[in-house]
Amino acid sequence: MLNLEEYFPFPLDPFQIEAIKAINSGNSVVLTAPTGSGKTLIGEFAIYRGLSHESRVFYTTPLKALSNQKFRDFINQFGEKKVGLLTGDISINRDAPILVMTTEIFRNMLYGEFEEFDDPLVNLESVILDECHYMNDPQRGTVWEETIIHCPSRAQIIALSATISNADQLQNWIEKVHGPTVLVNSNKRPVPLDFSFCSAKGLHPLLNNKGNGIHPNCKIWRAPKGQKKKGKVGRIMQPKAPPIAFVVSKLAERNMLPAIYFIFSRRGCDKAVEYIKDLSLVSYSEANLISQRLDVYLKNNEEGIKDKFHCEALKRGIASHHAGLLPAWKELVEELFQQGLIKVVFATETLAAGINMPARTTVISTLSKRTDEGHRLLFSSEFLQMSGRAGRRGKDLQGYVVTLQTRFEGAKEASTLAISEPNPLVSQFTPSYGMVLNLLQNYSLDKSRELIKRSFGSFLYLGESSEETANLDNLERDLKELKKITSNISWQDFDSYEKLKSRLKEERRLLRILEKQAAEKLSEEITSALIFIKDGSLISIKAPQINRKVVPALICKKIYESKKIKSLLCLTIDNLFILIKPSYIVNIFPDLEEIEILRLEEPKMNFSGEVVRGDNESQIFVDRIFDISEKYDLRTPQYDLSTEVLAQKKLITNLEETITNQPAHKFGDSKKLKRYRKRIIEIEQEIVMKNNLMEEKENHNWIKFTDLIKILNHFGCLNDLELTEVGQSVGAIRSENELWVGLVLLSGYLDDLAPPDLAAIIQAICVDVRRPNLWCNFKPSIKVIDVFNELESLKKLVASKQNKFNINTPIFLETELTGIISEWARGKKWKELIFNTSLDEGDVVRILRRSMDVLSQIQYCVGVSNKLKNKAKLALKAINRFPVSESNDLLKVSDNINPATKRIDNNS
């Protein structure tokens, strides 16, 4: 057991003690804690412990620059002989017990084939995955998942992460796929943060005393009534942002320097340095120290001299830091900042990604950023990552985070982000050509499927799917209940029943038409016959005043107008006198004897439709009507007796009988039955949809894996599931599209190219540059253009096959910038190179280094000609010079350019 006080002669935080206990117990560890809280100490303990056991410890970081920094730190801490470094193009002391590398290099190791005596994983005790929250990175996240899945179970994984909201899920997943894992979670910052808001009026407290809401004195800006001026993104524009010089002056006044001032644009960072050209933030002695270090830099890096303006700013304690700068210059800025000599660094958010540059204050200039999907507010984790750079442990009692008023965001948005919870880790796992080939080279198809299903995404999905399964169970239960209720009904019979009901409705409509037609014909006949019908004759009437019922009646009196019968006074069987129009008569009975009505006293009635109740005298006549109606049918309209109406009524009666005998009719409520049936169909569709969605989610990565197998078979990389020589070559490559790069290398088109032209083609097929307004004065040679033309058809073939399977892996063949690498390989001076392109120096270095990375891999492709391998080595040698090569203080680079991807060389 190590004596902690010997290695850490200061009080440890509770979370550090807890993590050390977990490591000593042999468990893997997931440690999440705020930026700057001392997570690295846990990695250092694992290194001390590994050294005491004479074992190896790997320390991985997501960024090459961070690996370089850790390498330097560990050399100072553990000694030069005990520390090695592996990045894409550097191998230093690769057999050292402490090996620093990028996480991608470690992933490549896990896939690699090594001779037994040369296996770097032998005697590996711990793997420290620094900045493990990089699993969220859309481009690189897969690397972390592959690393954890394939890491030997005998090695402890020590995952160090910034605060995330689902640390327990990460711990549970690592425990499932790797082994016993302990979660150590700390939300406490050793140096507390104070949040301020800066407007044109000055600095104000942002949060209330409890730190859970906006400060009551921090006024939320509201647009004046009627303000219609809008910004580019459509929001109402707020007051102007405070000038940079104003903000920096306020920080200096309040002793809040040194500060990292985050600006999400390279040009913005460089312009900010110009805006404060009259400001000096260092003392005379500090300015001297900066000048001395700058002189050493200029002497050692003649080709990497930054323009005079930035050198002068550096002497005043001011610098910018972004991906467009030379790596060597950025390292100088980092070094001077760590020494407290630089007081303000204007930086893009890449600086927040792990580089050890703590400050007393961080300034976040805007709360939104431009992305490929458009403008959006910062994620809470992005805000926390940047704000976490504030507060230097052991130097500051308080760290400060300053957010600024902008034209689009104010105190309200700032306070919301300041108190928000961190975002959760999500899986970015996606199979690639290289992954497929490496898995099939080492495992069976079934084992490969098992490994694919061990991704963090699959693990998270299993948690989600339990809820989905419960929802499905509820739906199945509802469906079963509904089917039980409707079990006696065949839906085929129900459809027939519904059709019969629709037909009945139609036949009844037709009957009404026939009745109307017959009634109109009858009305004409009755009107003609009325002249001959005597008073006291029996008739049937149907009038609105008696609810349109057909009732027997007798004619009391006919009333004429212009020799035509205008109306008739009738007495109904209900003892009602009614004055009706002739059209209300629906039947006459000329064969029946008239009733004598001489003694019937008629009431005085003035208008058609008038109804008067009869008396006892009239009741005598009513009784006579009743007696006759008992013997004869006086209630059936004459039109009902027409042949068509009788036939239609019979048809309807038969139809009603058929409907009554239907099983669905016996259910009682056909509307409810319809609702049941609709719900049954909806539930069945929802179950199918949910099952398909679950299957798609569960098998998404595997489906892509099998699609990649089909593509690899098509291009001869696989013979069914066995790797061919082409497949072995493609599997030895690490790039965004290993198949495309491998096919180009094996095509033969590159074999006769000179090393500079070969480098140009390599750049074209493996590097994508996304910068606005790109241009380069150096044009590719005729031979390079000829090869481009040949490769276009190959590109179309690969693209066509990828499109067929909806694979969107990029296929690069960009000619615009290829002149840069070929001219550099031919010996062009750096300044002349940069003068002839719109790219920043840092971009050019990145392009050249990525090209070098692929060039270095060519020697491990078994199917590539020796001629091409030799030319790739010559191209590498021509390119790998300062400032593209690492800074001179990184020690000597070994001859073995890319050892992390070393494989058994069948030709050796």
Side-chain angles (χ1 to χ4, degrees):
M1 189 71 72
L2 296 179
N3 180 4
L4 291 181
E5 292 182 2
E6 181 183 341
Y7 299 101
F8 310 114
F10 47 81
L12 298 182
D13 290 341
F15 83 88
Q16 292 171 327
I17 294 170
E18 186 183 350
I20 286 170
K21 283 181 180 176
I23 293 171
N24 278 329
S25 68
N27 292 313
S28 290
V29 175
V30 170
L31 169 59
T32 69
T35 303
S37 58
K39 294 188 293 291
T40 305
L41 180 141
I42 305 307
E44 292 170 2
F45 172 78
I47 292 172
Y48 283 124
R49 184 170 178 268
L51 292 174
S52 72
H53 296 159
E54 297 185 350
S55 300
R56 302 193 81 188
V57 177
F58 289 174
Y59 195 103
T60 79
T61 79
L63 304 172
K64 185 176 175 182
L66 190 52
S67 292
N68 291 346
Q69 188 182 72
K70 288 295 177 188
F71 173 67
R72 294 188 190 93
D73 292 346
F74 288 163
I75 281 180
N76 293 333
Q77 190 169 351
F78 301 103
E80 190 177 307
K81 292 182 179 179
K82 290 185 178 177
V83 186
L85 175 67
L86 292 181
T87 59
D89 53 356
I90 285 185
S91 172
I92 299 171
N93 198 14
R94 68 187 300 269
D95 296 320
I98 307 165
L99 200 52
V100 182
M101 64 188 78
T102 56
T103 314
E104 192 169 18
I105 293 295
F106 181 52
R107 187 275 311 267
N108 296 350
M109 270 190 189
L110 295 171
Y111 280 140
E113 290 182 6
F114 300 94
E115 299 286 1
E116 189 176 342
F117 59 85
D118 194 38
D119 186 351
L121 304 178
V122 169
N123 202 29
L124 177 63
E125 181 172 295
S126 301
V127 177
I128 299 149
L129 302 177
D130 201 2
E131 308 291 332
C132 195
H133 51 268
Y134 253 78
M135 274 177 67
N136 260 354
D137 186 274
Q139 277 75 44
R140 301 175 177 177
T142 296
V143 170
W144 270 260
E145 294 191 46
E146 289 179 87
T147 294
I148 290 165
I149 290 168
H150 296 293
C151 183
S153 57
R154 67 179 182 274
Q156 282 178 300
I157 289 176
I158 299 165
L160 308 178
S161 170
T163 311
I164 52 174
S165 62
N166 60 339
D168 55 333
Q169 290 180 322
L170 178 61
Q171 175 249 321
N172 288 334
W173 173 64
I174 294 178
E175 182 157 278
K176 182 178 179 182
V177 301
H178 183 74
T181 305
V182 173
L183 173 63
V184 179
N185 212 340
S186 173
N187 294 314
K188 185 181 178 184
R189 289 186 55 87
V191 181
L193 294 181
D194 178 73
F195 289 87
S196 298
F197 183 72
C198 187
S199 68
K201 295 178 181 178
L203 283 170
H204 324 279
L206 177 65
L207 300 180
N208 59 26
N209 292 335
K210 292 183 178 179
N212 60 1
I214 194 165
H215 195 280
N217 295 336
C218 200
K219 293 180 180 178
I220 297 173
W221 181 87
R222 288 181 174 85
K225 287 184 179 179
Q227 179 177 338
K228 293 182 179 178
K229 189 177 180 183
K230 301 236 176 182
K232 290 181 181 178
V233 291
R235 290 177 285 175
I236 294 175
M237 292 173 69
Q238 301 198 45
K240 287 184 179 180
I244 290 171
F246 175 79
V247 178
V248 174
S249 297
K250 288 294 177 187
L251 298 181
E253 283 173 21
R254 298 194 180 198
N255 194 27
M256 292 167 68
L257 299 177
I260 299 172
Y261 199 122
F262 286 107
I263 299 174
F264 303 139
S265 133
R266 299 179 185 182
R267 295 289 175 265
C269 291
D270 290 338
K271 283 181 180 178
V273 175
E274 289 182 41
Y275 291 151
I276 55 173
K277 60 185 177 183
D278 299 326
L279 205 59
S280 179
L281 303 174
V282 293
S283 65
Y284 180 77
S285 59
E286 287 174 328
N288 272 340
L289 288 171
I290 294 170
S291 294
Q292 290 171 23
R293 180 64 186 87
L294 184 60
D295 289 343
V296 174
Y297 172 85
L298 297 177
K299 183 180 178 182
N300 293 335
N301 306 303
E302 290 181 12
E303 283 281 356
I305 297 173
K306 193 65 181 160
D307 57 82
K308 185 179 178 183
F309 176 79
H310 280 272
C311 289
E312 291 303 315
L314 202 70
K315 293 175 185 177
R316 292 182 284 108
I318 300 162
S320 63
H321 186 288
H322 55 73
L325 297 170
L326 274 178
W329 179 265
K330 285 200 297 182
E331 287 165 11
L332 173 65
V333 171
E334 290 162 17
E335 178 191 329
L336 293 174
F337 192 87
Q338 287 164 13
Q339 292 171 6
L341 295 174
I342 291 181
K343 306 303 179 182
V344 174
V345 168
F346 296 102
T348 55
E349 63 181 317
T350 52
L351 186 143
I355 299 296
N356 182 26
M357 283 180 67
R360 179 170 292 164
T361 300
T362 57
V363 180
I364 302 174
S365 64
T366 177
L367 302 178
S368 61
K369 60 189 267 191
R370 184 179 287 108
T371 67
D372 293 340
E373 288 76 37
H375 239 80
R376 66 162 173 81
L377 276 176
L378 295 176
F379 294 138
S380 58
S381 287
E382 292 170 330
F383 183 86
L384 290 170
Q385 189 79 11
M386 286 184 280
S387 60
R389 291 283 152 205
R392 299 166 297 176
R393 189 165 190 171
K395 290 184 179 179
D396 302 318
L397 297 176
Q398 181 82 55
Y400 302 95
V401 180
V402 179
T403 56
L404 306 186
Q405 173 72 61
T406 72
R407 299 309 305 267
F408 302 112
E409 304 98 22
K412 183 180 178 182
E413 291 83 359
S415 62
T416 300
L417 275 171
I419 62 176
S420 59
E421 291 294 316
N423 298 115
L425 280 186
V426 295
S427 176
Q428 304 292 348
F429 186 87
T430 183
S432 65
Y433 293 114
M435 185 193 298
V436 172
L437 290 167
N438 282 288
L439 284 177
L440 292 179
Q441 189 168 24
N442 295 296
Y443 306 103
S444 67
L445 188 65
D446 288 340
K447 180 64 176 175
S448 296
R449 179 168 189 165
E450 181 198 325
L451 290 169
I452 291 293
K453 286 200 164 190
R454 292 171 72 183
S455 73
F456 186 48
S458 296
F459 175 80
L460 292 177
Y461 172 68
L462 282 174
E464 293 171 9
S465 66
S466 59
E467 188 176 330
E468 285 293 319
T469 303
N471 290 337
L472 272 173
D473 288 344
N474 291 334
L475 288 172
E476 294 279 6
R477 190 164 52 251
D478 291 347
L479 184 63
K480 188 177 179 182
E481 188 63 32
L482 285 170
K483 285 190 171 181
K484 184 180 178 183
I485 294 170
T486 58
S487 60
N488 294 329
I489 297 159
S490 155
W491 293 119
Q492 192 174 352
D493 292 344
F494 181 72
D495 288 336
S496 301
Y497 174 69
E498 288 293 299
K499 285 177 183 175
L500 285 170
K501 282 176 66 180
S502 297
R503 187 184 166 197
L504 178 61
K505 186 178 179 182
E506 182 59 27
E507 298 295 353
R508 282 175 173 161
R509 187 185 69 82
L510 185 57
L511 174 63
R512 287 192 297 273
I513 294 170
L514 292 171
E515 285 178 336
K516 185 180 178 184
Q517 290 172 344
E520 289 169 353
K521 186 178 179 184
L522 177 65
S523 180
E524 292 173 9
E525 293 174 356
I526 289 174
T527 303
S528 301
L530 272 178
I531 302 168
F532 306 104
I533 295 175
K534 298 176 182 177
D535 292 348
S537 295
L538 288 164
I539 58 174
S540 297
I541 65 173
K542 183 179 180 183
Q545 293 80 5
I546 52 176
N547 298 324
R548 296 192 182 278
K549 290 192 298 183
V550 177
V551 297
L554 61 81
I555 299 173
C556 299
K557 181 171 68 173
K558 301 174 190 171
I559 300 164
Y560 290 86
E561 186 179 84
S562 303
K563 296 183 180 181
K564 284 187 178 181
I565 299 172
K566 177 186 175 186
S567 55
L568 299 99
L569 178 63
C570 301
L571 176 64
T572 73
I573 197 169
D574 299 315
N575 199 9
L576 295 174
F577 286 99
I578 182 168
L579 199 61
I580 64 167
K581 294 176 184 177
S583 59
Y584 287 172
I585 300 173
V586 296
N587 209 346
I588 57 176
F589 305 99
D591 297 335
L592 295 180
E593 187 179 346
E594 301 95 9
I595 297 173
E596 180 59 52
I597 59 168
L598 291 174
R599 292 163 57 188
L600 177 61
E601 189 175 339
E602 301 166 356
K604 188 177 181 181
M605 302 178 75
N606 300 312
F607 55 88
S608 179
E610 189 177 354
V611 178
V612 174
R613 167 67 60 184
D615 55 15
N616 291 335
E617 293 295 326
S618 62
Q619 183 63 43
I620 297 168
F621 295 91
V622 169
D623 292 341
R624 290 289 307 278
I625 297 170
F626 182 79
D627 290 341
I628 296 169
S629 70
E630 286 289 293
K631 294 179 183 178
Y632 305 100
D633 179 10
L634 303 183
R635 291 182 182 271
T636 302
Q638 193 172 335
Y639 58 75
D640 278 5
L641 304 176
S642 70
T643 307
E644 292 88 348
V645 172
L646 286 172
Q648 187 66 15
K649 281 190 171 182
K650 186 177 180 182
L651 188 151
I652 288 171
T653 303
N654 291 338
L655 206 52
E656 285 173 339
E657 189 179 338
T658 304
I659 288 171
T660 306
N661 293 327
Q662 290 288 313
H665 187 76
K666 293 172 184 176
F667 185 82
D669 188 340
S670 63
K671 286 185 178 178
K672 187 181 281 187
L673 200 56
K674 262 187 180 178
R675 288 198 301 272
Y676 286 162
R677 186 188 191 188
K678 184 184 177 186
R679 183 60 186 144
I680 285 171
I681 292 169
E682 287 174 349
I683 290 175
E684 285 176 337
Q685 289 174 343
E686 194 173 354
I687 287 171
V688 169
M689 184 190 71
K690 282 184 178 292
N691 277 322
N692 289 342
L693 194 62
M694 285 177 70
E695 187 176 352
E696 185 182 332
K697 279 187 177 180
E698 186 178 355
N699 295 309
H700 172 73
N701 285 325
W702 180 245
I703 291 167
K704 184 170 183 180
F705 191 92
T706 55
D707 286 343
L708 293 175
I709 287 177
K710 292 168 189 171
I711 296 172
L712 289 165
N713 265 292
H714 177 81
F715 286 104
C717 300
L718 291 171
N719 182 6
D720 195 10
L721 297 175
E722 293 293 322
L723 268 71
T724 62
E725 190 176 86
V726 175
Q728 288 174 347
S729 294
V730 172
I733 294 165
R734 298 288 174 269
S735 74
E736 286 196 63
N737 192 325
E738 302 93 341
L739 173 64
W740 163 241
V741 173
L743 291 177
V744 171
L745 295 178
L746 296 166
S747 67
Y749 297 136
L750 280 55
D751 288 12
D752 295 325
L753 291 175
D757 289 339
L758 170 61
I761 295 292
I762 295 301
Q763 178 191 314
I765 64 173
C766 71
V767 181
D768 179 37
V769 181
R770 297 180 186 177
R771 301 297 301 166
N773 305 318
L774 281 176
W775 56 265
C776 172
N777 290 332
F778 302 124
K779 302 305 174 188
S781 69
I782 294 173
K783 286 186 177 180
V784 168
I785 291 171
D786 289 341
V787 172
F788 273 131
N789 293 334
E790 296 288 354
L791 292 179
E792 275 293 346
S793 57
L794 180 60
K795 180 184 176 182
K796 286 177 183 175
L797 282 173
V798 177
S800 171
K801 207 66 183 173
Q802 287 194 167
N803 291 338
K804 181 180 176 182
F805 292 99
N806 293 317
I807 302 296
N808 55 9
T809 309
I811 306 169
F812 302 136
L813 190 58
E814 303 297 332
T815 61
E816 184 64 33
L817 303 171
T818 51
I820 290 175
I821 193 168
S822 55
E823 289 302 313
W824 179 247
R826 289 188 176 98
K828 192 77 74 177
K829 294 288 185 182
W830 183 254
K831 284 188 176 179
E832 190 177 351
L833 201 70
I834 298 304
F835 182 75
N836 282 282
T837 177
S838 61
L839 287 172
D840 290 334
E841 291 179 291
D843 291 324
V844 175
V845 170
R846 182 178 66 87
I847 289 170
L848 297 179
R849 285 182 175 176
R850 288 189 67 180
S851 302
M852 286 170 59
D853 186 22
V854 173
L855 280 166
S856 70
Q857 296 176 42
I858 292 175
Q859 61 185 300
Y860 304 112
C861 299
V862 294
V864 168
S865 68
N866 286 329
K867 185 194 290 187
L868 186 57
K869 288 181 181 180
N870 290 331
K871 288 184 177 179
K873 288 178 182 178
L874 291 172
L876 262 175
K877 189 174 181 180
I879 296 167
N880 194 24
R881 64 183 198 274
F882 186 82
V884 178
S885 62
E886 294 293 340
S887 304
N888 296 333
D889 60 349
L890 259 183
L891 306 180
K892 186 178 182 300
V893 177
S894 75
D895 293 334
N896 196 347
I897 298 293
N898 194 6
T901 54
K902 183 178 179 182
R903 285 167 173 73
I904 300 169
D905 190 344
N906 296 330
N907 296 325
S908 58

